[in-house]
Amino acid sequence: MKVGVIIPARNARPWIGEMLESVRAQTHPAQAYLAEDRSDDGTFEWVRERPELYAGMARNRVRRGWAGSLNAAAKLALADGCDALFTASADDRLHPDCIARCAAVLSADGGRDFVVPYAQQFGEADVVQASLPDATIEDFVQWPPLIDKALIRREVWEQVGGYSPKATLPGSYGSAEDWEFWIRVWKAGLTRYAVVEQPLYFVRVHPGQLSHDRGEWHAATVGLFRKLHPDLPWTADSGVWPPRHRTTKRSGHA
């Protein structure tokens, strides 16, 4: 299985080397594909000078935000013949066995559509980001029951069409496009999946990242998704923050 780790990158100069080295250190061969989103901190120049760290890189002509950059990275990986895509962030890192464990589960039991590992935060926070192993469409009306880091078969990505720019709120460069992506995956019936209940992905928590403002955008996000997916069983408290159901737990209790 040829695996491409797709990485949007903007102003990630202090951390991107660690992510790319963690891709190279995988026990299952994997290659990085990057979409550089008009950084102004030297990220593009640093990466450009180290082509041995990635299989493909494109620089956006204009800033495209999280969804557009992830799709651009996926386009590179798919054009290079990757069988599966692992969604990642430039400021994080992978456990050395991340791709191997996920690829083994993806191929087991006749094959799955995607595999989601637990993730471990580090930096300013120390929690495990878990995902539900048996999510239903009803679980999506308040908060995504799955994290956004997953190994996804190319057929699933292509059928769903990747992340949708329609799910980006005006005034933001990324808020919860992964949430809307999973909704479309469920509506397409591509729900043969598994969760690896071990942290294999490490999420760096630091000031300035898009996820820091997610709470502020939550009600507006739900309002947008109600319009995009009016057939979901939204409830009166779907826009309330924090959501009733969270997929996080303190580290040490995974």
Side-chain angles (χ1 to χ4, degrees):
M1 181 184 297
K2 183 173 182 178
V3 176
V5 180
I6 55 175
I7 307 171
R10 175 174 167 80
N11 290 350
R13 171 64 188 86
W15 315 289
I16 193 168
E18 187 174 356
M19 166 53 82
L20 294 176
E21 289 290 355
S22 77
V23 175
R24 289 213 300 178
Q26 290 301 296
T27 55
H28 179 108
Q31 293 181 301
Y33 299 84
L34 299 101
E36 199 286 319
D37 199 26
R38 309 306 300 183
S39 297
D40 53 21
D41 71 340
T43 294
F44 173 69
E45 293 76 12
W46 189 92
V47 175
R48 182 179 56 185
E49 294 171 0
R50 294 163 176 81
E52 72 278 4
L53 294 179
Y54 55 92
M57 180 178 71
R59 191 179 202 200
N60 298 337
R61 292 184 179 273
V62 297
R63 189 175 177 189
R64 298 178 63 185
W66 174 258
S69 299
L70 194 69
N71 289 343
K75 184 178 180 179
L76 293 174
L78 295 174
D80 200 28
C82 288
D83 304 302
L85 308 176
F86 190 93
T87 49
S89 295
D91 47 358
D92 299 336
R93 66 173 183 260
L94 306 179
H95 185 286
D97 291 330
C98 179
I99 300 301
R101 289 285 308 278
C102 290
V105 176
L106 190 69
S107 300
D109 302 325
R112 292 183 168 88
D113 295 317
F114 60 92
V115 174
V116 186
Y118 277 16
Q120 171 73 57
Q121 292 183 346
F122 69 100
E124 294 184 353
D126 181 24
V127 299
V128 171
Q129 296 178 337
S131 294
L132 294 180
D134 54 357
T136 66
I137 194 66
E138 288 77 15
D139 292 312
F140 287 89
V141 299
Q142 290 193 341
W143 184 257
L146 309 176
I147 66 169
D148 62 328
K149 306 304 187 290
L151 182 64
I152 306 166
R153 288 193 183 276
R154 69 174 294 145
E155 296 85 359
V156 173
W157 186 274
E158 290 174 334
Q159 180 173 337
V160 175
Y163 279 29
S164 173
K166 294 180 180 180
T168 297
L169 290 165
S172 78
Y173 285 99
S175 177
E177 292 91 343
D178 57 295
W179 185 356
E180 198 271 342
F181 171 77
W182 289 129
I183 289 174
R184 286 185 289 116
V185 167
W186 251 254
K187 293 174 77 170
L190 301 169
T191 58
R192 183 171 168 77
Y193 79 104
V195 173
V196 179
E197 296 183 355
Q198 174 187 347
L200 297 175
Y201 187 93
F202 299 98
V203 180
R204 190 187 307 271
V205 181
H206 61 87
Q209 59 193 161
L210 290 174
S211 59
H212 263 208
D213 297 328
R214 194 159 185 169
E216 298 178 17
W217 292 99
H218 183 72
T221 299
V222 171
L224 174 61
F225 291 178
R226 283 179 182 269
K227 295 178 181 178
L228 294 176
H229 303 282
D231 52 325
L232 263 65
W234 303 101
T235 62
D237 61 350
S238 293
V240 177
W241 183 269
R244 290 183 303 170
H245 304 295
R246 302 294 298 272
T247 54
T248 58
K249 53 182 74 175
R250 295 301 305 177
S251 63
H253 300 280

